[in-house]
Amino acid sequence: MKYLYYLLFLIACTPAVMAQTAQEIVDRADANASFDHATMQATITSTDAFGTKVYETQIQQSGRDDSLIVFLAGENKGQKILRTPNELFVYYPDADNVVRLKGAALRQSAFGDVSYEDLANSKTRSDRFNLTLVSTENVDGFTTWVIDLVAKNKGESYPKQRLWIDQATYTIVRAEYRSDSGKLLRELRANDIVKRGNQFIATQLTFQDATKKNSSSTLRITKIDLDTPLPTNTFTVANLSF
């Protein structure tokens, strides 16, 4: 009988967070990663069979749709990547030329194991995927929800995904990205979470290409400014060549 009482006690004490749906959890995770205005400094270290490359970048973001990555040092110095609601542009300083990327060009590497396609889609995950709350799991020191995603429509780069979302901060701390057949294509690990205002930011993210041996890219955020508004022309094509 005492085991029955113990079981009833556990059920009664189950955290309210368990009652949340997969969509509520994922929507909150997406909202946590969207900023009214943000400027960050980040170092990207990419390693593959040919060696290691280091890039110094500035990342600016406004809302879900607009972002700008500027390469400050490294072999891509001066290059800029602009994402607007429906388009992706790259500025090449050597040619002083702006190119709008589309189609197969989006699959090219932006830096290391991150493609332009990875940067392009700004729609919420609940708009693009059917979501299923699978379980809870302790991973890398975090207590997480485990959520499976299956694409609603064709055209997704990774039609099947699994996310591990930290229950305390609604930060994605691990992710697996798979093909329609279930083949693992890419993995993400995130840690070193800091709080800024009401939001939480993982300051270290490591992307691993599962189709290549010993290939990974680690982004380390070294400075975060969520207080300074951005100029109105920050996310315009005209601003890229300045």
Side-chain angles (χ1 to χ4, degrees):
M1 182 64 70
K2 66 179 180 179
Y3 295 108
L4 176 59
Y5 289 140
Y6 179 66
L7 178 60
L8 292 174
F9 174 79
L10 287 178
I11 293 173
C13 293
T14 299
V17 293
M18 291 298 293
Q20 295 183 86
T21 67
Q23 180 172 339
E24 288 170 339
I25 296 166
V26 171
D27 282 351
R28 187 160 173 182
D30 279 344
N32 181 64
S34 178
F35 310 99
D36 291 337
H37 40 72
T39 299
M40 306 181 193
Q41 305 290 329
T43 299
I44 301 168
T45 304
S46 295
T47 302
D48 58 21
F50 301 99
T52 298
K53 296 178 180 178
V54 179
Y55 310 88
E56 297 294 335
T57 66
Q58 175 182 269
I59 303 169
Q60 294 178 303
Q61 181 181 337
S62 178
R64 185 175 303 282
D65 295 325
D66 297 314
S67 66
L68 176 66
I69 300 174
V70 180
F71 290 85
L72 305 175
E75 66 177 17
N76 288 17
K77 182 178 179 180
Q79 183 174 311
K80 302 177 184 178
I81 303 173
L82 171 66
R83 185 187 73 190
T84 61
N86 300 305
E87 297 175 308
L88 192 76
F89 300 90
V90 179
Y91 170 71
Y92 297 99
D94 291 344
D96 192 23
N97 188 34
V98 176
V99 176
R100 178 192 172 197
L101 296 185
K102 56 183 178 180
L106 290 169
R107 300 189 184 95
Q108 298 174 3
S109 171
F111 48 85
D113 295 291
V114 178
S115 71
Y116 292 109
E117 198 165 30
D118 294 330
L119 305 173
N121 206 322
S122 60
K123 292 183 180 178
T124 64
R125 290 177 175 86
S126 60
D127 286 337
R128 298 155 49 204
F129 294 91
N130 293 311
L131 311 172
T132 303
L133 178 57
V134 178
S135 64
T136 61
E137 183 178 329
N138 289 324
V139 57
D140 297 337
F142 298 99
T143 301
T144 69
W145 290 288
V146 184
I147 298 178
D148 280 350
L149 293 74
V150 178
K152 294 180 179 180
N153 302 297
K154 293 182 179 180
E156 289 289 342
S157 304
Y158 311 108
K160 293 183 178 179
Q161 303 179 17
R162 173 165 284 190
L163 305 179
W164 285 258
I165 299 176
D166 178 37
Q167 293 184 10
T169 63
Y170 291 86
T171 304
I172 297 171
V173 295
R174 180 181 173 188
E176 292 180 348
Y177 303 95
R178 298 178 181 271
S179 67
D180 198 41
S181 66
K183 179 182 178 181
L184 181 62
L185 302 175
R186 183 162 299 182
E187 295 180 88
L188 166 70
R189 296 272 183 164
N191 51 44
D192 293 344
I193 296 173
V194 299
K195 186 178 182 181
R196 291 293 184 272
N198 295 320
Q199 292 175 273
F200 295 89
I201 303 169
T203 61
Q204 178 169 307
L205 300 95
T206 298
F207 304 86
Q208 182 127 20
D209 189 334
T211 67
K212 300 177 183 178
K213 187 177 181 180
N214 300 322
S215 180
S216 66
S217 296
T218 297
L219 182 148
R220 292 183 178 85
I221 298 174
T222 56
K223 185 177 180 181
I224 303 170
D225 179 0
L226 303 184
D227 298 320
T228 306
L230 300 171
T232 56
N233 68 335
T234 299
F235 305 104
T236 62
V237 175
N239 184 53
L240 289 179
S241 56
F242 290 95

